[in-house]
Amino acid sequence: MNLSTYKKSILLISISSCFFLLLFFALYSYTLKQEKSDYEITTADFKKEIESLLKSNWASYENQIEDMSFWDDFVKYTHQKDEKWFDFYVGTAIDVYDLDLVSVYDLKGNLINAKTRNNSDKDIIPKEFFPLLYQKKYLNFFTKHNNRVYKVFASTIHPSNDPKKTLSPPSGYFFMALCLDENYFKKLQHISSAQSCAIFFTDIKPDSKNVQYTKVLNNWKGNQIGKFHFSKKHHRDFTTSKIILRVIIIAFILNLLILIYFFKNWIYKPLQLVTTILESVSNHKNIKKLKKIKGEFGHIGDLFEDNNHQKLKLINAKLDAEKSDKLKSAFLANLSHEIRTPINAINGFSELLLNTKTTAEEKKEYLKVIHKSGQNLINIIDDLIEMSKIESNLITPNYSAIDLESAIKELFESIKITINPLKEIEFILIPSEHKPLHDIITDETKLKQIITNLVTNAIKFTEKGTVTLGYIINEEQKNIQFYVNDTGIGINEDNLDKIFERFRRIESDLSIKVGGLGLGLSISKAYIELLNGSITLDSILGKGSKFYFTIPLEYETRKPKKIKKNKAIKILNDIKQTILIAEDDNINFLLFEKIIQDFNYTIIRAKDGQEAVTICKKNPEISLILMDIKMPVLSGFEAILQIKPLYPNIPIIAQTAYSSEEDKIKIEKAGFTDYISKPLDRNKLKQMIATYLNGHS
Ligand code: ADP
């Protein structure tokens, strides 16, 4: 049976209720039966008691009348009608037996003598009755007179020798009558358990509270003249038991209703909520309702909420993963394009140089293209490395005090000269209204990188018009707001937030033409946040964009501490000096060799860090070491640890493919005298060697 928990519980409640009701009604009907049988038994006992009481009471009268009715003197009296004799022998019975009437009639039905308590009682004997008495000899009956009922005992009078009254004819009629009145009732009540007795001439109302017995009173003709009614309290009263049983059933029904009501509210409704929540995808309203219920269901509500949050997180993570997957695919396609462009240029122009006859002018032009393409490639790689460092949280700000005004001017000039003169763009630096009061503390390299990224974008995405750069010092809010405005292609509203996501680019003819990896803004944003700042932008599609970013304004209060470079050790020597080049890559070594061969130096090569250490130990005449950082066996960092204690005064220059600020700090800390980044800048290398070997700069 596929029943819900609620239905099962209701079924269980119904079955147990039915069982209870069955028991209850069995008990109730047993009580009613008990009550009935108890009443019947008590009534029967009462009837027996009253009947035997009446019988014994009336038997004494019957015996008396029988005894007196075969008596010679009484026969004689019926003839002589001696009233004195009557008063003395018969009339006294009225007091002895507490009667109401004693009377004697002759055979003709004429009253001879009568003795009564009440004069009107004389006429209670009906004349028509005499013939019947003549026949029957003894009779007793009830008669009604003046609304009073009498028990009449009647007998014919015979001589003593005829006790059975069969031998002689009657000589008269003898009557004794007893009025069934209050006095009589009192006497009966006194000697019986009856609490009330009375004569009724009408119907008697049944009364279940009392035990009753009613005797029908018939006259001599056998007609009913009234009822003799006895009653007493029924001591075993079942009313209380019945009330208790009724209260129990009402309480049970109430209890059942309350049970169903609370069961519905506490179990059914929460279960319904749980089902609805589980069936629907997101159901905040129902979860809220469930949470409000105290106890387990509230806890389930909390769990649902947690679960929903996790579900949401998972969905978001999935969406993010999908988005990032898409972005990565787009990025790879883009990267491939971005890398191929300079490589194509390098390949194409170097092939032209190799395979065609070129004038000196053309050669210079081709080499310039190759050089520029190489630079572009390096920029791409730098951005990629920077982004991966940002993602791995490896970037920390490197604060120093800078003169903001001159730093911005310097940056402005350096960007300005890179703008293609063919572009109809005016690049303007808006002077700040309030100049900073002192040097400010920030990460100069990162700040310059952010501005460069924004300005480069502004120039890239503006065909014609102006690009403005400026900053506002807000002393009150303690921040500096930089802005880069352009009159370029602009960005539509939907993409305003998206452009800060890594690898995100807005596809347009211009963006395809100018290229880019979609990393510049995300790197800038990460830098700004690193400096505790924020970036926003306003842009109108087709009209231009305004990028704003703020960083905290913090003045240098101490004397600015110049970051010391390791002291350049200048060795002035006329003899041919030896340079150790520790470089595992053959092409890089060749490049070094070619650049250095113009000078009069002896060059020794080490192919890994370990070899560099060994050579140093063997050749104390070495004057300068150019050490690659990333080498097999021992890295540059490990090798310097062994070389430095041996030759603390030899300048050791690190060559590195990484050029971030962090790398620079790491190199400085390791004890390198200076560093040069790859790809090698010929002039810089020459100048460096000259500086450290000969003291020229
Ligand atoms: P990239 O410039 O290398 O594509 P960025 O992260 O610097 O990557 O910029 C992301 C995208 O934002 C760009 O491709 C371009 O679509 C849009 N964008 C950035 N700056 C501007 C600007 N000044 N005007 C119009 N679009 C811009």
Side-chain angles (χ1 to χ4, degrees):
M1 233 191 330
N2 192 13
L3 286 180
S4 67
T5 309
Y6 177 65
K7 282 185 184 157
K8 275 184 204 162
S9 313
I10 291 290
L11 192 72
L12 192 73
I13 292 172
S14 312
I15 291 171
S16 52
S17 303
C18 286
F19 187 64
F20 174 82
L21 285 175
L22 264 174
L23 277 180
F24 173 81
F25 285 116
L27 183 65
Y28 195 77
S29 68
Y30 174 74
T31 310
L32 288 183
K33 255 190 198 166
Q34 274 294 100
E35 184 187 25
K36 198 178 161 203
S37 94
D38 191 75
Y39 186 78
E40 278 170 3
I41 290 168
T42 320
T43 308
D45 288 349
F46 188 56
K47 182 184 171 189
K48 257 189 218 165
E49 181 200 340
I50 298 298
E51 272 181 349
S52 65
L53 183 76
L54 287 176
K55 203 174 165 188
S56 66
N57 183 252
W58 288 336
S60 62
Y61 296 106
E62 281 166 10
N63 291 341
Q64 185 58 34
I65 203 163
E66 196 188 331
D67 282 354
M68 286 176 78
S69 63
F70 57 99
W71 184 15
D72 291 339
D73 289 349
F74 210 178
V75 174
K76 201 170 151 190
Y77 162 74
T78 54
H79 299 300
Q80 290 174 352
K81 298 173 182 162
D82 180 358
E83 198 175 341
K84 276 187 183 165
W85 186 89
F86 173 81
D87 287 342
F88 191 78
Y89 290 104
V90 180
T92 49
I94 203 161
D95 295 320
V96 176
Y97 296 104
D98 208 6
L99 291 162
D100 287 278
L101 166 79
V102 182
S103 60
V104 182
Y105 286 79
D106 62 17
L107 279 177
K108 287 176 187 159
N110 297 319
L111 178 68
I112 302 172
N113 276 121
K115 186 142 190 191
T116 59
R117 289 184 190 280
N118 192 334
N119 210 28
S120 62
D121 290 344
K122 273 184 182 168
D123 305 327
I124 61 171
I125 309 298
K127 296 270 175 347
E128 316 87 76
F129 163 71
F130 292 121
L132 183 66
L133 182 61
Y134 189 89
Q135 263 180 22
K136 299 280 180 188
K137 315 294 194 240
Y138 291 112
L139 275 174
N140 61 63
F141 59 91
F142 296 96
T143 188
K144 190 179 163 194
H145 185 74
N146 288 343
N147 264 339
R148 283 151 64 96
V149 174
Y150 298 84
K151 171 80 177 173
V152 178
F153 304 92
S155 165
T156 50
I157 303 166
H158 294 266
S160 312
N161 59 357
D162 188 13
K164 289 196 175 165
K165 304 183 177 180
T166 48
L167 303 175
S168 57
S171 54
Y173 305 108
F174 177 36
F175 294 94
M176 288 165 75
L178 189 67
C179 183
L180 305 184
D181 60 3
E182 289 290 318
N183 281 339
Y184 186 69
F185 300 154
K186 265 183 199 161
K187 258 191 256 163
L188 282 181
Q189 268 170 240
H190 191 69
I191 54 171
S192 73
S193 64
Q195 284 159 333
S196 90
C197 51
I199 302 284
F200 286 91
F201 301 111
T202 51
D203 282 341
I204 304 154
K205 278 185 195 161
D207 176 7
S208 61
K209 280 185 188 165
N210 292 317
V211 181
Q212 295 172 312
Y213 169 64
T214 305
K215 184 170 175 61
V216 173
L217 303 177
N218 291 331
N219 64 7
W220 63 276
K221 288 177 188 165
N223 296 331
Q224 183 181 319
I225 54 159
K227 286 171 189 164
F228 202 177
H229 184 75
F230 298 85
S231 83
K232 68 171 184 178
K233 214 162 169 52
H234 186 21
H235 288 297
R236 287 199 54 194
D237 189 359
F238 283 77
T239 323
T240 322
S241 314
K242 283 194 285 184
I243 288 172
I244 290 171
L245 285 173
R246 279 176 206 148
V247 168
I248 287 175
I249 194 72
I250 290 167
F252 172 76
I253 290 166
L254 269 176
N255 185 40
L256 197 68
L257 292 176
I258 291 168
L259 195 77
I260 291 172
Y261 174 79
F262 282 103
F263 186 79
K264 200 168 180 173
N265 280 313
W266 288 352
I267 297 175
Y268 175 66
K269 282 186 182 169
L271 274 177
Q272 284 282 90
L273 276 177
V274 171
T275 317
T276 341
I277 290 166
L278 286 174
E279 278 170 359
S280 57
V281 186
S282 81
N283 215 322
H284 299 296
K285 245 192 201 169
N286 288 331
I287 291 177
K288 258 189 187 173
K289 275 191 205 163
L290 195 65
K291 275 183 71 179
K292 275 185 196 157
I293 302 169
K294 282 180 188 144
E296 287 89 336
F297 283 109
H299 183 57
I300 292 175
D302 288 339
L303 292 179
F304 269 130
E305 199 172 58
D306 288 352
N307 190 37
N308 259 10
H309 283 151
Q310 277 168 8
K311 217 159 77 183
L312 214 72
K313 269 191 198 162
L314 280 178
I315 292 170
N316 284 340
K318 187 177 165 253
L319 288 176
D320 281 352
E322 281 170 4
K323 204 163 88 183
S324 141
D325 198 43
K326 272 187 197 162
L327 272 176
K328 268 192 186 140
S329 309
F331 160 71
L332 282 176
N334 197 26
L335 182 66
S336 157
H337 170 260
E338 290 300 310
I339 291 176
R340 268 168 204 282
T341 315
I343 287 180
N344 274 346
I346 293 168
N347 276 348
F349 283 101
S350 47
E351 206 184 306
L352 279 179
L353 280 175
L354 286 172
N355 302 330
T356 54
K357 278 186 185 166
T358 45
T359 61
E361 189 94 336
E362 282 171 331
K363 212 183 252 177
K364 206 175 169 189
E365 198 184 320
Y366 294 171
L367 284 171
K368 263 190 190 168
V369 173
I370 291 170
H371 181 73
K372 176 88 181 117
S373 303
Q375 279 296 326
N376 283 348
L377 269 178
I378 287 170
N379 288 342
I380 289 170
I381 290 161
D382 277 354
D383 272 1
L384 284 173
I385 290 174
E386 204 55 21
M387 194 67 231
S388 84
K389 280 186 177 172
I390 288 170
E391 282 186 351
S392 323
N393 280 331
L394 290 175
I395 308 274
T396 45
N398 184 25
Y399 289 111
S400 63
I402 63 160
D403 176 354
L404 186 66
E405 185 68 6
S406 53
I408 296 292
K409 261 188 197 153
E410 197 183 290
L411 184 65
F412 171 76
E413 295 301 339
S414 66
I415 298 174
K416 196 171 180 173
I417 49 163
T418 62
I419 301 174
N420 186 346
L422 298 176
K423 267 196 154 184
E424 292 173 57
I425 287 179
E426 200 185 348
F427 182 37
I428 308 163
L429 174 68
I430 311 265
S432 170
E433 261 182 49
H434 304 284
K435 309 283 178 221
L437 305 170
H438 309 280
D439 283 359
I440 63 146
I441 299 202
T442 191
D443 184 326
E444 183 180 359
T445 322
K446 291 197 173 58
L447 178 64
K448 281 186 171 169
Q449 188 63 53
I450 299 162
I451 298 172
T452 311
N453 283 353
L454 294 180
V455 174
T456 318
N457 273 350
I459 296 166
K460 242 166 63 171
F461 296 104
T462 307
E463 296 267 48
K464 207 175 166 185
T466 51
V467 171
T468 30
L469 165 68
Y471 68 89
I472 300 162
I473 301 266
N474 193 332
E475 297 281 351
E476 270 173 23
Q477 287 179 15
K478 293 219 165 302
N479 64 29
I480 314 168
Q481 187 187 60
F482 295 88
Y483 56 87
V484 177
N485 300 345
D486 66 59
T487 55
I489 58 169
I491 302 156
N492 71 10
E493 224 182 308
D494 293 347
N495 288 320
L496 288 183
D497 285 338
K498 291 182 188 155
I499 56 168
F500 292 104
E501 291 170 14
R502 62 204 169 101
F503 309 129
R504 181 71 81 164
R505 306 186 71 236
I506 305 161
E507 290 305 325
S508 71
D509 290 345
L510 184 61
S511 70
I512 292 169
K513 193 176 127 193
V514 295
L517 280 179
L519 288 178
L521 282 181
S522 46
I523 292 174
S524 303
K525 188 169 184 253
Y527 279 174
I528 293 166
E529 282 166 3
L530 202 68
L531 299 177
N532 293 325
S534 60
I535 181 165
T536 51
L537 84 145
D538 288 332
S539 188
I540 300 172
L541 197 65
K543 292 259 163 92
S545 314
K546 292 174 180 178
F547 283 81
Y548 308 94
F549 75 92
T550 30
I551 56 166
L553 169 66
E554 199 186 325
Y555 286 120
E556 167 68 334
T557 46
R558 295 165 297 144
K559 197 95 191 104
K561 186 184 147 206
K562 285 269 179 258
I563 295 165
K564 275 189 206 157
K565 278 205 168 176
N566 282 359
K567 240 194 194 164
I569 301 143
K570 296 170 188 172
I571 300 163
L572 292 169
N573 212 327
D574 283 340
I575 50 160
K576 195 176 181 186
Q577 290 173 321
T578 308
I579 296 176
L580 170 66
I581 299 176
E583 172 63 72
D584 61 323
D585 187 86
N586 290 339
I587 293 174
N588 277 344
F589 175 70
L590 191 70
L591 196 62
F592 270 116
E593 212 179 25
K594 289 286 168 210
I595 296 169
I596 298 171
Q597 73 184 3
D598 296 354
F599 306 92
N600 189 22
Y601 299 128
T602 308
I603 292 171
I604 308 175
R605 181 187 177 191
K607 286 188 176 169
D608 58 54
Q610 185 57 60
E611 208 180 322
V613 176
T614 318
I615 292 172
C616 276
K617 283 180 183 167
K618 281 185 191 162
N619 301 283
E621 74 280 8
I622 291 170
S623 317
L624 180 87
I625 303 170
L626 284 167
M627 175 96 75
D628 188 13
I629 293 294
K630 200 168 170 268
M631 278 188 298
V633 192
L634 280 187
S635 74
F637 288 118
E638 289 162 332
I640 198 174
L641 283 178
Q642 298 189 29
I643 297 169
K644 203 76 187 165
L646 298 175
Y647 307 106
N649 292 329
I650 294 180
I652 307 173
I653 297 170
Q655 355 150 2
T656 172
Y658 323 121
S659 57
S660 71
E661 200 61 23
E662 287 70 32
D663 296 325
K664 286 174 203 164
I665 293 165
K666 204 174 162 195
I667 287 166
E668 205 175 314
K669 274 190 187 159
F672 286 98
T673 317
D674 210 335
Y675 73 92
I676 184 154
S677 53
K678 291 178 190 172
L680 289 176
D681 181 328
R682 192 168 169 268
N683 289 332
K684 205 173 173 189
L685 181 64
K686 272 184 177 175
Q687 200 185 2
M688 216 174 247
I689 292 172
T691 309
Y692 292 118
L693 285 184
N694 305 323
H696 306 301
S697 60

